[in-house]
Amino acid sequence: MSDTPNTEVRNLVLVLGDQLSAQAATFDDFDREQDAVLMLEVAEEATYVPQHKIRLVLFFSAMRHFRDALQDDGIRVHYATCNAPDNTGYFTDELKRWTGTLQPKRLIVIKPGDHRVETSITDAAATLDLPLDVTEDRHFLCSLDAFRKHADGRKSLVMETFYRQMRREHDYLMDGDDPVGSEWNFDKDNRKSFGKDGPGEIPAPHAFEPDEITRAVIDLVEEHFPDSPGSLDSFDYPVTRDQALQALDDFIEHRLPQFGDYQDAMVTGAPYLFHSRLSCVLNLHLLDPREVIDAAVAAHENGDAPINAVEGFVRQILGWREFVRGIYWLKMPGYADMNEFDADLPMPAFMWTGETDMQCIRESVGQLVETAYAHHIQRLMVLGLFAMLLGVRPYDVHRWHMSMYADAIDWVSLPNVLGMSQYGDGGIMGSKPYAASGNYISRMSDYCSACKYDPKAATGEDACPYTTLYWDFLDRNRDRISQNHRMGFQMKNLERKDAAEMDAIRDRAATLKMRFTAETWLTE
Ligand code: FAD
Ligand code: DLZ
Ligand code: SF4
């Protein structure tokens, strides 16, 4: 549809790039005669941190496909492409421009997934003196009010407690009052690693060939955002509701049955293993979490997937995903500034390119450059761990994460990165820092066998930087970490190190910190 309005607008529904669902509450009272949709591609969102090219193509292509689907359904859509000459590039200015032309009586938007974006929309509406409804996002199973009630009166929040409550409330995998399989959690069965011969053939996620719309967006991104990180050589993400449903079926049939067993394994050259790669289509709202959970539960009921796989998968979506969103809105905006260890180093430049001799980072970031994807253990125990041990400012780790992952949206990245992986929140997301040396990576992956460093060594030229920085991390934060009884074992081992070894560790850590942080991609 053209950019020029044809009639006056009663309600203008702003649909953001991660709100691509026709089932959203904003469409409940939508009147095709009087109301219209506004969708804005803005350079602001593509550049406020350097954005992975795959992420840009994913959002712009999915937005354009959604626009077309709405129009096919007879809905009037006003759409600003980011390369249109009159596009100002900012949400606030675009809102001013479009509401000036369309003169709506009211602006309606689903609660954005980013506090920053919500603030700019609220501020713009106030400046324009335009009535604004920010509507509850019912994509999520737990409303923000319900999460607040859950949090009320609790000294600390524990995902497992929240998850069990959600299982009961929504009657997922329940046998009366008991969990199906008599256990709430099958994690003890879910830590297998592959033998010497590796995982063998694993069916990769269904690859979607770019159509005409996606190809045009690929050209646009290459032309307008040439300095963005990442590669578009093999863009194959689902970008429509139909494709998202195909991706779901493909996962349920081919990878769900073994999802549990190898959930934590890491293997060179096998980025997805048995993971679903559904986070993007969930976060863009092309899939509803209920239909994803229903499909997994049905696979178990039909005898196609074991309980350890299905429970493990359901916990990620019904538990973790809802929990982190609850934490985000409970704690924002102050949460973004939390920095338990006062870490202040910048994120090293090689975290965008993979150009380092640390094999675990070279492999994980190399894969990120190609796919904008890494699974949760790579995020937590390779890339996040490295940043925490080095002492990078937690908010910068989050900014880096936003720039490199296709599925990153503020509500989900911030608690996972600043909270869970950096312990920047001092224990809101997790009860202790996920601190480990190179020995953990050596046990859980095949990376170290191809690395020039020795994961066991903390000092000397071939010492693994993780191992050196692990001891340095415990040492420099010993006052805070000693107060956490769950870190007692690790602190006891630190105390066993003699003074000469600690001096050598501190010296080498100081050299590594200087070398690694000489260059970064992030500016203030
Ligand atoms: P699977 O392993 O197949 O899991 C199934 C689904 O569960 C995912 O698609 C996702 O929707 C959900 N899920 C699992 N764990 C979490 C979690 N901790 N928080 C929220 N949802 C979860 N997920 C994002 O969607 N966006 C992020 O920006 C993000 N940042 C993360 C940062 C760190 C440091 C860590 C440790 C985790 C992060 N996660 C994030 C969660 C998780 O790593 C990804 O959802 C997952 O790797 C996506 O791949 P998948 O779809 O194959 O997931
Ligand atoms: C990530 C992203 C990008 C790259 N571009 C846009 C855009 O042009 N327009 C838009 O509405 N949303 C975009 N997004 C998603 C936003 O950064 C942000 O995550 C959501 O608006 C939060 O609801
Ligand atoms: Fe990574 Fe250290 Fe193993 Fe090398 S030795 S791959 S740097 S953990």
Side-chain angles (χ1 to χ4, degrees), residues 453-509:
Y453 297 114
D454 173 2
K456 291 194 186 61
T459 57
E461 269 315 293
D462 70 343
C464 164
Y466 278 83
T467 305
T468 310
L469 291 168
Y470 167 72
W471 295 115
D472 183 69
F473 168 79
L474 295 182
D475 175 50
R476 69 177 189 264
N477 295 305
R478 68 169 69 216
D479 290 350
R480 284 192 177 95
I481 295 178
S482 302
Q483 291 164 22
N484 187 325
H485 70 276
R486 295 198 63 206
M487 295 297 286
F489 179 72
Q490 283 165 284
M491 293 312 279
K492 218 177 241 161
N493 285 336
L494 176 73
E495 301 314 335
R496 288 207 185 97
K497 302 231 167 268
D498 65 35
E501 191 181 1
M502 277 320 298
D503 281 347
I505 286 172
R506 286 186 200 110
D507 276 0
R508 186 165 164 81

Short mmCIF file of all heavy atoms in Angstrom, two decimals, residues 453-509:
data_model
loop_
_atom_site.label_atom_id
_atom_site.label_comp_id
_atom_site.label_asym_id
_atom_site.label_seq_id
_atom_site.Cartn_x
_atom_site.Cartn_y
_atom_site.Cartn_z
N TYR A 453 46.57 -23.53 23.38
CA TYR A 453 46.71 -23.38 24.83
C TYR A 453 46.39 -24.68 25.57
O TYR A 453 45.69 -25.55 25.05
CB TYR A 453 45.79 -22.26 25.33
CG TYR A 453 46.14 -20.91 24.78
CD1 TYR A 453 45.27 -20.25 23.92
CD2 TYR A 453 47.35 -20.31 25.11
CE1 TYR A 453 45.60 -19.01 23.39
CE2 TYR A 453 47.68 -19.05 24.59
CZ TYR A 453 46.80 -18.41 23.73
OH TYR A 453 47.12 -17.18 23.22
N ASP A 454 46.87 -24.74 26.81
CA ASP A 454 46.63 -25.91 27.65
C ASP A 454 45.60 -25.54 28.73
O ASP A 454 45.87 -24.71 29.59
CB ASP A 454 47.98 -26.30 28.31
CG ASP A 454 47.81 -27.41 29.33
OD1 ASP A 454 46.67 -27.90 29.51
OD2 ASP A 454 48.82 -27.78 29.95
N PRO A 455 44.41 -26.17 28.67
CA PRO A 455 43.35 -25.75 29.60
C PRO A 455 43.72 -25.96 31.07
O PRO A 455 43.13 -25.32 31.96
CB PRO A 455 42.16 -26.62 29.21
CG PRO A 455 42.71 -27.76 28.43
CD PRO A 455 43.96 -27.27 27.78
N LYS A 456 44.69 -26.83 31.33
CA LYS A 456 45.04 -27.09 32.75
C LYS A 456 46.00 -26.02 33.30
O LYS A 456 46.11 -25.84 34.50
CB LYS A 456 45.72 -28.45 32.86
CG LYS A 456 44.77 -29.61 32.62
CD LYS A 456 45.43 -30.91 33.09
CE LYS A 456 44.57 -32.09 32.72
NZ LYS A 456 44.37 -32.23 31.25
N ALA A 457 46.73 -25.35 32.39
CA ALA A 457 47.80 -24.45 32.86
C ALA A 457 47.27 -23.04 33.12
O ALA A 457 46.52 -22.47 32.31
CB ALA A 457 48.91 -24.40 31.83
N ALA A 458 47.67 -22.47 34.27
CA ALA A 458 47.24 -21.11 34.63
C ALA A 458 48.35 -20.10 34.39
O ALA A 458 48.11 -18.89 34.30
CB ALA A 458 46.82 -21.06 36.08
N THR A 459 49.59 -20.57 34.32
CA THR A 459 50.71 -19.66 34.08
C THR A 459 51.61 -20.24 33.00
O THR A 459 51.54 -21.43 32.70
CB THR A 459 51.55 -19.46 35.36
OG1 THR A 459 51.99 -20.73 35.82
CG2 THR A 459 50.76 -18.76 36.46
N GLY A 460 52.44 -19.36 32.44
CA GLY A 460 53.34 -19.80 31.37
C GLY A 460 52.74 -19.44 30.02
O GLY A 460 51.56 -19.09 29.93
N GLU A 461 53.59 -19.51 29.00
CA GLU A 461 53.18 -19.04 27.67
C GLU A 461 52.02 -19.83 27.08
O GLU A 461 51.22 -19.30 26.32
CB GLU A 461 54.38 -19.07 26.71
CG GLU A 461 55.18 -17.78 26.67
CD GLU A 461 54.28 -16.52 26.58
OE1 GLU A 461 53.62 -16.34 25.54
OE2 GLU A 461 54.24 -15.73 27.56
N ASP A 462 51.92 -21.15 27.44
CA ASP A 462 50.82 -21.92 26.84
C ASP A 462 49.61 -22.02 27.77
O ASP A 462 48.70 -22.80 27.54
CB ASP A 462 51.30 -23.31 26.39
CG ASP A 462 51.61 -24.21 27.57
OD1 ASP A 462 51.77 -23.66 28.69
OD2 ASP A 462 51.68 -25.44 27.38
N ALA A 463 49.59 -21.20 28.82
CA ALA A 463 48.46 -21.25 29.76
C ALA A 463 47.17 -20.83 29.05
O ALA A 463 47.16 -19.86 28.29
CB ALA A 463 48.72 -20.32 30.93
N CYS A 464 46.09 -21.54 29.34
CA CYS A 464 44.78 -21.18 28.77
C CYS A 464 44.33 -19.86 29.40
O CYS A 464 44.26 -19.74 30.63
CB CYS A 464 43.79 -22.29 29.09
SG CYS A 464 42.09 -21.79 28.86
N PRO A 465 44.00 -18.85 28.60
CA PRO A 465 43.56 -17.57 29.17
C PRO A 465 42.37 -17.72 30.12
O PRO A 465 42.26 -16.99 31.11
CB PRO A 465 43.19 -16.75 27.94
CG PRO A 465 44.07 -17.29 26.85
CD PRO A 465 44.16 -18.76 27.13
N TYR A 466 41.47 -18.67 29.84
CA TYR A 466 40.34 -18.88 30.75
C TYR A 466 40.85 -19.29 32.14
O TYR A 466 40.33 -18.83 33.16
CB TYR A 466 39.44 -20.01 30.24
CG TYR A 466 38.46 -19.58 29.18
CD1 TYR A 466 38.84 -19.50 27.85
CD2 TYR A 466 37.14 -19.26 29.50
CE1 TYR A 466 37.94 -19.13 26.86
CE2 TYR A 466 36.23 -18.88 28.52
CZ TYR A 466 36.64 -18.81 27.20
OH TYR A 466 35.75 -18.42 26.23
N THR A 467 41.84 -20.17 32.15
CA THR A 467 42.29 -20.71 33.44
C THR A 467 43.02 -19.62 34.23
O THR A 467 42.78 -19.43 35.43
CB THR A 467 43.15 -21.96 33.19
OG1 THR A 467 42.35 -22.87 32.41
CG2 THR A 467 43.56 -22.63 34.47
N THR A 468 43.88 -18.86 33.56
CA THR A 468 44.54 -17.73 34.23
C THR A 468 43.50 -16.75 34.77
O THR A 468 43.53 -16.36 35.94
CB THR A 468 45.44 -16.95 33.23
OG1 THR A 468 46.27 -17.87 32.55
CG2 THR A 468 46.26 -15.89 33.93
N LEU A 469 42.58 -16.38 33.90
CA LEU A 469 41.60 -15.35 34.28
C LEU A 469 40.60 -15.86 35.33
O LEU A 469 40.07 -15.08 36.11
CB LEU A 469 40.86 -14.83 33.04
CG LEU A 469 41.74 -14.01 32.07
CD1 LEU A 469 41.03 -13.79 30.73
CD2 LEU A 469 42.13 -12.65 32.70
N TYR A 470 40.38 -17.16 35.35
CA TYR A 470 39.49 -17.75 36.37
C TYR A 470 40.05 -17.49 37.77
O TYR A 470 39.35 -16.98 38.66
CB TYR A 470 39.35 -19.25 36.11
CG TYR A 470 38.72 -20.02 37.24
CD1 TYR A 470 37.37 -19.89 37.53
CD2 TYR A 470 39.49 -20.89 38.02
CE1 TYR A 470 36.79 -20.60 38.57
CE2 TYR A 470 38.91 -21.61 39.06
CZ TYR A 470 37.56 -21.47 39.33
OH TYR A 470 36.98 -22.17 40.36
N TRP A 471 41.33 -17.80 37.96
CA TRP A 471 41.92 -17.60 39.29
C TRP A 471 42.02 -16.11 39.61
O TRP A 471 41.78 -15.68 40.73
CB TRP A 471 43.31 -18.26 39.38
CG TRP A 471 43.23 -19.75 39.26
CD1 TRP A 471 43.75 -20.52 38.26
CD2 TRP A 471 42.58 -20.65 40.17
NE1 TRP A 471 43.45 -21.84 38.48
CE2 TRP A 471 42.74 -21.95 39.64
CE3 TRP A 471 41.87 -20.50 41.36
CZ2 TRP A 471 42.23 -23.09 40.28
CZ3 TRP A 471 41.36 -21.63 42.00
CH2 TRP A 471 41.53 -22.89 41.46
N ASP A 472 42.32 -15.32 38.59
CA ASP A 472 42.41 -13.87 38.80
C ASP A 472 41.03 -13.30 39.18
O ASP A 472 40.92 -12.42 40.04
CB ASP A 472 42.93 -13.22 37.51
CG ASP A 472 43.11 -11.72 37.67
OD1 ASP A 472 44.01 -11.32 38.42
OD2 ASP A 472 42.33 -10.96 37.05
N PHE A 473 39.98 -13.82 38.54
CA PHE A 473 38.61 -13.38 38.83
C PHE A 473 38.26 -13.67 40.29
O PHE A 473 37.74 -12.79 41.01
CB PHE A 473 37.64 -14.10 37.88
CG PHE A 473 36.19 -13.97 38.24
CD1 PHE A 473 35.47 -12.82 37.94
CD2 PHE A 473 35.52 -15.01 38.89
CE1 PHE A 473 34.13 -12.69 38.28
CE2 PHE A 473 34.18 -14.89 39.23
CZ PHE A 473 33.48 -13.73 38.93
N LEU A 474 38.54 -14.90 40.74
CA LEU A 474 38.22 -15.24 42.13
C LEU A 474 39.04 -14.37 43.09
O LEU A 474 38.53 -13.90 44.11
CB LEU A 474 38.51 -16.72 42.41
CG LEU A 474 37.67 -17.75 41.65
CD1 LEU A 474 38.06 -19.17 42.08
CD2 LEU A 474 36.17 -17.54 41.87
N ASP A 475 40.30 -14.17 42.72
CA ASP A 475 41.21 -13.41 43.58
C ASP A 475 40.78 -11.94 43.69
O ASP A 475 40.66 -11.39 44.79
CB ASP A 475 42.63 -13.53 42.99
CG ASP A 475 43.63 -12.68 43.74
OD1 ASP A 475 43.68 -12.78 44.98
OD2 ASP A 475 44.38 -11.91 43.07
N ARG A 476 40.51 -11.32 42.53
CA ARG A 476 40.22 -9.88 42.60
C ARG A 476 38.84 -9.59 43.18
O ARG A 476 38.57 -8.49 43.65
CB ARG A 476 40.41 -9.21 41.23
CG ARG A 476 39.42 -9.59 40.17
CD ARG A 476 39.65 -8.83 38.86
NE ARG A 476 38.56 -9.05 37.94
CZ ARG A 476 38.55 -9.96 36.97
NH1 ARG A 476 39.59 -10.75 36.77
NH2 ARG A 476 37.49 -10.08 36.18
N ASN A 477 37.95 -10.60 43.16
CA ASN A 477 36.61 -10.38 43.73
C ASN A 477 36.41 -11.19 45.01
O ASN A 477 35.29 -11.49 45.38
CB ASN A 477 35.55 -10.80 42.70
CG ASN A 477 35.58 -9.91 41.46
OD1 ASN A 477 35.48 -8.70 41.58
ND2 ASN A 477 35.76 -10.50 40.30
N ARG A 478 37.52 -11.51 45.68
CA ARG A 478 37.39 -12.48 46.78
C ARG A 478 36.47 -11.98 47.90
O ARG A 478 35.75 -12.76 48.49
CB ARG A 478 38.74 -12.95 47.29
CG ARG A 478 39.58 -11.93 48.01
CD ARG A 478 40.77 -12.62 48.69
NE ARG A 478 41.77 -13.14 47.75
CZ ARG A 478 42.44 -14.29 47.96
NH1 ARG A 478 42.19 -15.02 49.02
NH2 ARG A 478 43.36 -14.66 47.11
N ASP A 479 36.46 -10.68 48.16
CA ASP A 479 35.61 -10.18 49.25
C ASP A 479 34.14 -10.47 48.99
O ASP A 479 33.42 -10.95 49.84
CB ASP A 479 35.78 -8.67 49.42
CG ASP A 479 37.15 -8.35 49.99
OD1 ASP A 479 37.83 -9.31 50.41
OD2 ASP A 479 37.53 -7.16 49.99
N ARG A 480 33.72 -10.18 47.76
CA ARG A 480 32.30 -10.39 47.44
C ARG A 480 31.98 -11.88 47.29
O ARG A 480 30.96 -12.36 47.78
CB ARG A 480 31.95 -9.67 46.14
CG ARG A 480 31.81 -8.17 46.31
CD ARG A 480 31.18 -7.58 45.07
NE ARG A 480 30.97 -6.15 45.20
CZ ARG A 480 31.84 -5.24 44.76
NH1 ARG A 480 32.97 -5.59 44.18
NH2 ARG A 480 31.56 -3.95 44.90
N ILE A 481 32.87 -12.60 46.61
CA ILE A 481 32.57 -14.01 46.31
C ILE A 481 32.59 -14.86 47.58
O ILE A 481 31.80 -15.80 47.73
CB ILE A 481 33.53 -14.56 45.23
CG1 ILE A 481 33.28 -13.81 43.92
CG2 ILE A 481 33.33 -16.05 45.02
CD1 ILE A 481 34.19 -14.21 42.78
N SER A 482 33.47 -14.52 48.53
CA SER A 482 33.56 -15.32 49.77
C SER A 482 32.26 -15.32 50.55
O SER A 482 31.98 -16.23 51.33
CB SER A 482 34.65 -14.77 50.68
OG SER A 482 35.86 -14.77 50.02
N GLN A 483 31.45 -14.28 50.34
CA GLN A 483 30.18 -14.21 51.08
C GLN A 483 29.14 -15.21 50.55
O GLN A 483 28.11 -15.44 51.17
CB GLN A 483 29.60 -12.81 50.98
CG GLN A 483 30.41 -11.79 51.76
CD GLN A 483 30.06 -10.37 51.34
OE1 GLN A 483 28.99 -10.12 50.80
NE2 GLN A 483 30.97 -9.44 51.57
N ASN A 484 29.42 -15.80 49.38
CA ASN A 484 28.46 -16.72 48.76
C ASN A 484 28.85 -18.16 49.11
O ASN A 484 29.86 -18.67 48.63
CB ASN A 484 28.48 -16.51 47.24
CG ASN A 484 27.40 -17.29 46.53
OD1 ASN A 484 27.06 -18.39 46.95
ND2 ASN A 484 26.88 -16.73 45.46
N HIS A 485 28.03 -18.80 49.97
CA HIS A 485 28.44 -20.13 50.44
C HIS A 485 28.52 -21.15 49.31
O HIS A 485 29.24 -22.12 49.39
CB HIS A 485 27.53 -20.61 51.58
CG HIS A 485 26.14 -20.94 51.10
ND1 HIS A 485 25.16 -20.00 50.95
CD2 HIS A 485 25.60 -22.12 50.73
CE1 HIS A 485 24.06 -20.58 50.49
NE2 HIS A 485 24.30 -21.86 50.35
N ARG A 486 27.80 -20.91 48.19
CA ARG A 486 27.86 -21.85 47.07
C ARG A 486 29.20 -21.79 46.34
O ARG A 486 29.50 -22.62 45.50
CB ARG A 486 26.71 -21.57 46.09
CG ARG A 486 25.34 -21.85 46.71
CD ARG A 486 24.29 -22.00 45.66
NE ARG A 486 24.53 -23.14 44.79
CZ ARG A 486 24.10 -23.23 43.54
NH1 ARG A 486 23.40 -22.25 43.02
NH2 ARG A 486 24.35 -24.29 42.80
N MET A 487 30.01 -20.77 46.66
CA MET A 487 31.33 -20.65 46.02
C MET A 487 32.44 -21.17 46.95
O MET A 487 33.63 -21.01 46.65
CB MET A 487 31.61 -19.18 45.66
CG MET A 487 30.68 -18.60 44.60
SD MET A 487 30.83 -19.44 43.01
CE MET A 487 32.41 -18.78 42.44
N GLY A 488 32.04 -21.78 48.07
CA GLY A 488 33.02 -22.19 49.08
C GLY A 488 34.10 -23.11 48.54
O GLY A 488 35.30 -22.91 48.80
N PHE A 489 33.71 -24.10 47.76
CA PHE A 489 34.66 -25.07 47.24
C PHE A 489 35.71 -24.39 46.34
O PHE A 489 36.91 -24.59 46.47
CB PHE A 489 33.88 -26.13 46.46
CG PHE A 489 34.75 -27.19 45.86
CD1 PHE A 489 35.36 -28.15 46.65
CD2 PHE A 489 34.96 -27.24 44.48
CE1 PHE A 489 36.17 -29.14 46.09
CE2 PHE A 489 35.77 -28.21 43.91
CZ PHE A 489 36.37 -29.16 44.72
N GLN A 490 35.21 -23.50 45.46
CA GLN A 490 36.12 -22.81 44.55
C GLN A 490 37.07 -21.88 45.31
O GLN A 490 38.25 -21.80 45.00
CB GLN A 490 35.31 -22.03 43.49
CG GLN A 490 34.77 -22.95 42.41
CD GLN A 490 33.69 -22.31 41.56
OE1 GLN A 490 32.55 -22.17 41.99
NE2 GLN A 490 34.02 -21.93 40.35
N MET A 491 36.54 -21.22 46.35
CA MET A 491 37.40 -20.30 47.11
C MET A 491 38.44 -21.08 47.93
O MET A 491 39.57 -20.62 48.10
CB MET A 491 36.54 -19.40 48.02
CG MET A 491 35.66 -18.42 47.29
SD MET A 491 36.50 -17.49 45.98
CE MET A 491 37.32 -16.22 46.92
N LYS A 492 38.05 -22.25 48.39
CA LYS A 492 39.01 -23.08 49.14
C LYS A 492 40.19 -23.44 48.22
O LYS A 492 41.35 -23.40 48.63
CB LYS A 492 38.31 -24.34 49.63
CG LYS A 492 38.77 -24.76 51.02
CD LYS A 492 38.02 -25.96 51.50
CE LYS A 492 37.27 -25.61 52.77
NZ LYS A 492 36.21 -26.53 53.06
N ASN A 493 39.90 -23.79 46.98
CA ASN A 493 40.98 -24.12 46.04
C ASN A 493 41.86 -22.90 45.76
O ASN A 493 43.07 -23.03 45.60
CB ASN A 493 40.41 -24.65 44.72
CG ASN A 493 39.92 -26.07 44.88
OD1 ASN A 493 40.39 -26.79 45.78
ND2 ASN A 493 38.98 -26.48 44.05
N LEU A 494 41.25 -21.73 45.73
CA LEU A 494 42.04 -20.50 45.53
C LEU A 494 43.01 -20.33 46.71
O LEU A 494 44.19 -19.99 46.50
CB LEU A 494 41.10 -19.30 45.43
CG LEU A 494 41.80 -17.94 45.31
CD1 LEU A 494 42.43 -17.78 43.91
CD2 LEU A 494 40.83 -16.79 45.56
N GLU A 495 42.51 -20.56 47.91
CA GLU A 495 43.36 -20.35 49.09
C GLU A 495 44.55 -21.31 49.10
O GLU A 495 45.57 -21.05 49.74
CB GLU A 495 42.56 -20.53 50.40
CG GLU A 495 41.36 -19.60 50.58
CD GLU A 495 41.63 -18.13 50.24
OE1 GLU A 495 42.79 -17.69 50.33
OE2 GLU A 495 40.67 -17.42 49.84
N ARG A 496 44.45 -22.41 48.37
CA ARG A 496 45.56 -23.38 48.34
C ARG A 496 46.74 -22.89 47.48
O ARG A 496 47.82 -23.44 47.54
CB ARG A 496 45.08 -24.71 47.75
CG ARG A 496 44.19 -25.46 48.68
CD ARG A 496 44.27 -26.96 48.41
NE ARG A 496 43.30 -27.62 49.26
CZ ARG A 496 42.08 -27.98 48.87
NH1 ARG A 496 41.72 -27.84 47.62
NH2 ARG A 496 41.24 -28.52 49.72
N LYS A 497 46.52 -21.89 46.68
CA LYS A 497 47.60 -21.41 45.78
C LYS A 497 48.62 -20.61 46.60
O LYS A 497 48.24 -19.79 47.42
CB LYS A 497 47.04 -20.52 44.67
CG LYS A 497 46.00 -21.21 43.83
CD LYS A 497 46.34 -21.06 42.37
CE LYS A 497 45.52 -21.97 41.49
NZ LYS A 497 46.09 -23.26 41.20
N ASP A 498 49.92 -20.87 46.36
CA ASP A 498 50.90 -20.12 47.15
C ASP A 498 51.12 -18.72 46.55
O ASP A 498 50.67 -18.43 45.42
CB ASP A 498 52.21 -20.91 47.32
CG ASP A 498 52.91 -21.12 46.01
OD1 ASP A 498 52.87 -20.23 45.14
OD2 ASP A 498 53.52 -22.21 45.82
N ALA A 499 51.82 -17.89 47.31
CA ALA A 499 51.94 -16.47 46.94
C ALA A 499 52.65 -16.30 45.59
O ALA A 499 52.24 -15.46 44.76
CB ALA A 499 52.70 -15.72 48.03
N ALA A 500 53.69 -17.12 45.35
CA ALA A 500 54.45 -16.98 44.09
C ALA A 500 53.54 -17.30 42.90
O ALA A 500 53.55 -16.58 41.88
CB ALA A 500 55.66 -17.91 44.12
N GLU A 501 52.74 -18.37 43.02
CA GLU A 501 51.86 -18.72 41.90
C GLU A 501 50.80 -17.63 41.68
O GLU A 501 50.51 -17.25 40.55
CB GLU A 501 51.18 -20.08 42.17
CG GLU A 501 50.48 -20.58 40.91
CD GLU A 501 49.76 -21.91 41.06
OE1 GLU A 501 49.78 -22.48 42.16
OE2 GLU A 501 49.17 -22.35 40.05
N MET A 502 50.27 -17.10 42.77
CA MET A 502 49.27 -16.04 42.62
C MET A 502 49.87 -14.80 41.95
O MET A 502 49.22 -14.17 41.12
CB MET A 502 48.67 -15.64 43.98
CG MET A 502 47.54 -16.53 44.49
SD MET A 502 46.34 -17.08 43.25
CE MET A 502 45.63 -15.55 42.67
N ASP A 503 51.12 -14.49 42.30
CA ASP A 503 51.77 -13.34 41.65
C ASP A 503 51.89 -13.57 40.15
O ASP A 503 51.63 -12.68 39.33
CB ASP A 503 53.16 -13.10 42.25
CG ASP A 503 53.05 -12.37 43.58
OD1 ASP A 503 51.94 -11.86 43.88
OD2 ASP A 503 54.06 -12.33 44.33
N ALA A 504 52.31 -14.81 39.80
CA ALA A 504 52.47 -15.12 38.37
C ALA A 504 51.12 -15.05 37.66
O ALA A 504 51.02 -14.56 36.52
CB ALA A 504 53.11 -16.50 38.22
N ILE A 505 50.07 -15.52 38.32
CA ILE A 505 48.72 -15.46 37.72
C ILE A 505 48.29 -14.01 37.52
O ILE A 505 47.82 -13.62 36.44
CB ILE A 505 47.70 -16.23 38.60
CG1 ILE A 505 47.93 -17.74 38.46
CG2 ILE A 505 46.27 -15.86 38.24
CD1 ILE A 505 47.13 -18.60 39.42
N ARG A 506 48.53 -13.20 38.56
CA ARG A 506 48.11 -11.78 38.45
C ARG A 506 48.87 -11.08 37.32
O ARG A 506 48.28 -10.30 36.56
CB ARG A 506 48.36 -11.05 39.77
CG ARG A 506 47.36 -11.43 40.85
CD ARG A 506 47.53 -10.59 42.10
NE ARG A 506 46.93 -11.27 43.24
CZ ARG A 506 47.60 -11.81 44.26
NH1 ARG A 506 48.92 -11.71 44.32
NH2 ARG A 506 46.96 -12.43 45.22
N ASP A 507 50.16 -11.38 37.21
CA ASP A 507 50.98 -10.76 36.15
C ASP A 507 50.45 -11.13 34.77
O ASP A 507 50.27 -10.29 33.90
CB ASP A 507 52.43 -11.25 36.23
CG ASP A 507 53.21 -10.43 37.23
OD1 ASP A 507 52.60 -9.51 37.82
OD2 ASP A 507 54.41 -10.73 37.44
N ARG A 508 50.23 -12.44 34.61
CA ARG A 508 49.78 -12.88 33.28
C ARG A 508 48.37 -12.35 32.99
O ARG A 508 48.08 -11.94 31.85
CB ARG A 508 49.80 -14.41 33.19
CG ARG A 508 49.47 -14.89 31.80
CD ARG A 508 49.79 -16.32 31.51
NE ARG A 508 49.10 -16.78 30.31
CZ ARG A 508 49.51 -16.55 29.06
NH1 ARG A 508 50.63 -15.91 28.85
NH2 ARG A 508 48.80 -16.98 28.02
N ALA A 509 47.53 -12.31 34.00
CA ALA A 509 46.16 -11.78 33.80
C ALA A 509 46.23 -10.32 33.36
O ALA A 509 45.50 -9.89 32.46
CB ALA A 509 45.35 -11.93 35.07
#
